[in-house]
Amino acid sequence: MPTIVGVSFRPVTKVYYFDPARFLDLRPGEYVVVDTARGREVGCVSLPPGDMPASEVSGGLKQVVRRATAWDMVERELYRQREAEALTRARQQATEHRLPIKVVRTEYNFDGGRLVIYFTADKRVDFRALVRDLARVFRCRIEMRQIGVRDQAKFLDGVGKCGRRLCCSSWLREFAPVSIKMAKSQNLPLNPTEISGVCGRLLCCLSYENDLYEEARAELPKVGSTILSKQGVGKVRKLNPLQRTMFVQMEDESLVEVTVDDILENRGKEQSRTCGTCGGCSVKRKATSAGHASDALDDEDVRELEMLT
């Protein structure tokens, strides 16, 4: 297994893996100079050196060049202080070129040799003329990088519906896929204003408890199915996965809350009452003789009922 060290280049951003080379004593919080696809960068150690399965490492690992020196850190901080001015100038240049873009953030690498400009746009934009003018102004290599609205919210920061700082800018390093199905499984109102974040996309927190809801819903019958409980036979209209209960519409149109334990307990009692001839078919015969459709039972019960009758 290859030995890796995890390095991040900005707070609360993705952790990249590097070969620690001879620096096996690195500790989280230390700064190192590493080779990247865009040149050398100063990053902070997030994960100490350790072994990782080769299947989780994609491509070759670039090496840690050295520990960052005091001068490296001073130079890095110097160019970071210039980023606010670079942002203002980049926005002015974009306005002069009449480009339909919104410049969100600018980032220098640690030695000032490259300036990355992050922007949002509704469609593809020809910014070649803008890059030429920016290169003359800043006298360094310019890289334009288009980002989405989620990344924009991460860069700008803010407060979410919960009243706390945004997850993406406070602790969430990478965005997880979020779908409307997660909101449905959690019985949330399908109102865009209720389940969308400040970025206008679905709330990231919908994915946090989704696995727990899916596991809880697996123990419950599906909405629309017919069940047999101690209150009688009825159709499931709504589920409460975490409480392990469901609302069932009975034959008299009344709505009754039933627990999963009630259903299982009722099945056990009914199955213990046999007719004395076939050894345990009373539940199936009772449901059928009462005029209820066989879809009140699961597939295995239906097959057994067909064999017995």
Side-chain angles (χ1 to χ4, degrees):
M1 292 188 296
T3 302
I4 60 94
V5 59
V7 178
S8 58
F9 300 103
R10 293 276 176 164
V12 198
T13 55
K14 183 179 179 179
V15 176
Y16 296 89
Y17 299 135
F18 293 88
D19 182 356
R22 66 181 185 278
F23 303 101
L24 297 177
D25 58 342
L26 291 172
R27 294 291 179 267
E30 290 189 78
Y31 288 89
V32 292
V33 178
V34 295
D35 279 324
T36 69
R38 297 181 177 87
R40 289 192 173 181
E41 288 280 5
V42 170
C44 180
V45 176
S46 300
L47 297 174
D51 294 334
M52 176 172 287
S55 58
E56 298 184 17
V57 179
S58 58
L61 293 174
K62 293 184 179 295
Q63 291 188 346
V64 173
V65 178
R66 64 175 189 274
R67 280 185 167 88
T69 63
W71 176 248
D72 291 330
M73 300 305 297
V74 169
E75 195 172 19
R76 173 175 174 265
E77 185 61 27
L78 176 64
Y79 282 103
R80 287 204 170 181
Q81 292 179 0
R82 296 182 180 179
E83 290 177 353
E85 180 184 354
L87 177 61
T88 302
R89 294 292 299 273
R91 287 175 173 172
Q92 292 175 352
Q93 291 289 333
T95 302
E96 292 177 4
H97 284 266
R98 298 182 179 179
L99 294 177
I101 66 174
K102 178 181 179 181
V103 179
V104 178
R105 186 170 181 173
T106 56
E107 288 184 0
Y108 276 106
N109 67 331
F110 89 101
D111 61 359
R114 186 184 71 257
L115 176 64
V116 181
I117 300 176
Y118 298 93
F119 70 94
T120 59
D122 296 332
K123 55 184 179 181
R124 293 178 62 90
V125 179
D126 184 4
F127 46 73
R128 289 175 293 181
L130 175 62
V131 170
R132 287 195 295 267
D133 288 349
L134 291 176
R136 285 195 294 266
V137 171
F138 297 111
R139 298 184 179 277
C140 64
R141 180 181 176 183
I142 304 297
E143 180 180 340
M144 302 288 293
R145 190 176 301 176
Q146 186 172 355
I147 61 175
V149 290
R150 289 183 183 271
D151 293 301
Q152 179 183 357
K154 185 179 183 71
F155 284 153
L156 298 180
D157 205 349
V159 177
K161 295 178 179 293
C162 57
R164 300 174 65 90
R165 186 183 176 191
L166 296 180
C167 295
C168 57
S169 56
S170 59
W171 63 270
L172 189 63
R173 292 185 177 271
E174 296 186 64
F175 294 107
V178 185
S179 65
I180 195 69
K181 181 181 178 182
M182 296 179 180
K184 292 180 179 179
S185 67
Q186 297 173 40
N187 293 333
L188 296 176
L190 302 182
N191 185 341
T193 59
E194 295 291 334
I195 59 176
S196 299
V198 297
C199 61
R201 298 292 187 268
L202 291 174
L203 291 165
C204 291
C205 54
L206 293 180
S207 64
Y208 299 165
E209 300 177 353
N210 186 63
D211 292 341
L212 178 62
Y213 274 90
E214 292 294 336
E215 182 179 347
R217 291 178 74 92
E219 301 179 2
L220 301 175
K222 294 182 179 180
V223 174
S225 62
T226 305
I227 64 169
L228 178 63
S229 66
K230 63 182 181 181
Q231 289 88 347
V233 178
K235 283 191 175 183
V236 179
R237 295 305 183 190
K238 185 179 179 181
L239 303 177
N240 290 326
L242 298 186
Q243 298 178 2
R244 301 179 73 246
T245 64
M246 67 207 79
F247 287 95
V248 180
Q249 186 177 17
M250 311 305 291
E251 293 180 328
D252 58 357
E253 302 300 326
S254 63
L255 204 61
V256 179
E257 188 173 11
V258 178
T259 66
V260 176
D261 296 333
D262 289 340
I263 299 175
L264 297 178
E265 180 182 357
N266 182 70
R267 284 184 177 178
K269 289 181 178 179
E270 293 294 339
Q271 288 175 357
S272 64
R273 302 172 188 172
T274 64
C275 63
T277 58
C278 59
C281 64
S282 60
V283 176
K284 294 87 177 178
R285 293 185 180 278
K286 180 179 179 180
T288 305
S289 61
H292 304 309
S294 60
D295 61 358
L297 311 172
D298 55 29
D299 294 339
E300 184 178 353
D301 290 339
V302 172
R303 289 194 297 269
E304 185 178 354
L305 177 61
E306 293 174 348
M307 294 175 61
L308 293 174
T309 57

